[in-house]
Amino acid sequence: MAKISINLATGSFQQEEIIVGIDLGTTNSLVAFINPDKNPQVINDTGKGLLVPSVVHFNAQGDALVGNDAKEFLITDPANTIFSVKRLLGRSYKDVAAHQDTFSYKIIDDESDSLVKIKAGDKFYTPIELSAEILKELKARAEHALKTPVNRAVITVPAYFNDSQRQATRDAGKLAGLDVLRIVNEPTAASLAYGLGLDPAQQKTIAVYDLGGGTFDVSVLSIQNGIFEVLSTNGNTFLGGDDFDRAIVYYWIESNKLDKEAVTKDSGLMQSLRLKAEEAKKALSTQSLYNEKLRFDGFEEVKPGEIWCTLDKQTFENLIAGKVAETIASCKLALSDAKLTTAEIDEVVLVGGSTRSPYVKQQVAAFFQREPHDQINPDEVVALGAAIQADILAGNRSDILLLDVTPLSLGIETMGGLMDVIIPRNAKVPTKAGRQYTTSLDGQVNMKISVYQGERDLVRENRKLAEFDLKGIPPMPAGLPKVDINFILNADGILTVQAIELRSGVKQEIDITPSYGLTDDTVEKMLIDSITHAKSDVDQRMLIEARSEGEQLVYTAQRFLDKHASYLSTDEIKNTKIHIENLQQALEKAEKDEILKKADELNEFTRPFAERVMDVAVSAAMKGKSIDN
Ligand code: ADP
Ligand code: MG
């Protein structure tokens, strides 16, 4: 494919289009590129800083603001200020329900396995759209700083991200107008930044310790012939530098003999204390004492005055020792899962802003009995590595062999004509991937499996490769059959699609050659179309998803009324019916936000009844993605 692009700012032709590397983090995100000296460099858009806080604020008009400016609204407008969206990416409400308290904004509880949505103002947003806002900001900063359009990127994700989280990250990129060349594991990117894995002759085992703002993970990787393999991962998605800040705040409340209950109720004061605590923590990474005062206006019985924010290094280390010990325990587990001893680890890499604390470094070094790599800024190392990966994919490194990759995504059709990607584009060949599906109708005995190729959200815009029926599924209620669909793409480019109903063992498979009749021009056109139509594709996908969720909810609620009316009062029955009607009307209007709003209201209204009846079967019937027949 030709790599000529026009620089919109100068009108000049540019031979090599810049491909950026993006670290889309829970706390901070950043974008890097390979500079003219062939070195990876984080993009600093004049004055705005390297790190972009992963925070999105929506004003009353629904306009998004991202980064440091958005962060200020965490205090003044918490309900419309979304942080930590990465925790929600590719997740269902069930996945995150236990941690609902940590979010100050509203996450929609639809009691289903479908992906979460967030409410801000009158609108409903998916984590994909919110992540896209962050990516758009990074793209804009890169374009501004480099004075050239930026259309292609490599984006990193944690090694433990599953398929659905990876796909959501790709979709966010597409929605931001980026052609996502590859999703790369964060520990892999960090290793690349240190040059590990660049020499094909190198064979190494690496431990990557990543302690960020709110998450911790450790990964054990092996590299062989330039190929990274994740041997094990471990961690805690609710442990990070924020915990250190919190520990300091509570220490100050005690050392100043403040009324803990009163202070914690004052969210403004708590936020100011937290900011001071973070400042103290960072200062103690290079000095041994922090000593400042915080003026406050007073509250309830507490007179206005000053809080002494004093902290010495030793006290700080005592405060965080327990949390750091937890991370070391995770390292032990990761090693034992990989069936390795510390002596068998060749290199240790530090990632994440919190590894700047000397105590953290010392504990990691002591555990692995090895000096970890810490020469590169730990909060930049992932983005820098992503830029190197982008450079490799651009073919700029002749010393590195580019393995055969899939030119377009491969997937199947799911409800409403949506494309469900099973093998993403640019996956290394040979590869194997699969996912589980279920039926949408009671007693459904056949399932049609249609295989497509392409990047669009609706299958009708993609290339149809094949279609077959999985026959002989024993009649069961909708949602009960478990159909595994596996895609196996061999080194010769032949795709075997396998469908197996696990309860009965019925099985069907076919072989396809996806490259048959596919020209380079078609591939290029399909890629360009997917970017130019990204917004309308995502809108359509979301409408289809909202619709099928809404329809299922109407079905479930009606079934609930039929079966369990005796548990409800006449008024409750009447009002449930009104809510159902409202939802049906919204479904007719086919407006996404309206459907979601009415569905949310019906859900909220009927939740206590469901709890009353505790009928698991009803909710079980709506579980699982289904394929229309
Ligand atoms: P994430 O990967 O979760 O998006 P980062 O890697 O950017 O996050 O890490 C953010 C965390 O690093 C925050 O808790 C921040 O306070 C902490 N941090 C940043 N600089 C320092 C420092 N100099 N010393 C200690 N902690 C730091
Ligand atoms: Mg990170």
Side-chain angles (χ1 to χ4, degrees), residues 252-271:
W252 283 338
I253 290 177
E254 233 167 73
S255 63
N256 282 277
K257 300 194 171 59
L258 298 173
D259 179 348
K260 186 172 156 187
E261 220 174 294
V263 175
T264 44
K265 261 193 274 170
D266 185 331
S267 59
L269 178 58
M270 277 304 272
Q271 185 66 15

Side-chain angles (χ1 to χ4, degrees), residues 3 31 51-52 106 162 172 188 200 209 215 260 287 292 302 314 402 415 424 434 525 529 538 595 597 614 622:
K3 276 187 308 200
V31 51
L51 304 185
V52 178
K106 184 167 161 57
N162 63 24
T188 300
Y209 176 103
T215 62
K260 186 172 156 187
Q287 64 199 54
E292 293 253 330
V302 185
Q314 188 56 53
L402 252 188
M415 41 119 208
K525 181 171 184 322
D529 282 353
V538 169
I595 296 172
K597 185 160 176 263
M614 291 281 278
M622 17 182 336

Side-chain angles (χ1 to χ4, degrees), residues 159-210:
Y160 58 79
F161 256 30
N162 63 24
D163 276 354
S164 141
Q165 293 169 298
R166 284 165 200 265
Q167 187 58 40
T169 307
R170 276 180 185 279
D171 290 346
K174 192 160 83 172
L175 192 54
L178 289 167
D179 176 9
V180 181
L181 292 186
R182 188 172 288 173
I183 297 290
V184 179
N185 286 330
E186 289 163 10
T188 300
S191 303
L192 282 173
Y194 279 106
L196 303 169
L198 289 177
D199 174 4
Q202 206 175 45
Q203 192 172 328
K204 285 203 152 147
T205 309
I206 309 166
V208 182
Y209 176 103
D210 183 347

Side-chain angles (χ1 to χ4, degrees), residues 23-28 86 186 210-213 215 351-353 378-379 382:
D23 172 4
L24 182 60
T26 310
T27 316
N28 296 303
K86 187 174 179 179
E186 289 163 10
D210 183 347
L211 189 59
T215 62
V351 180
D379 28 25
V382 168

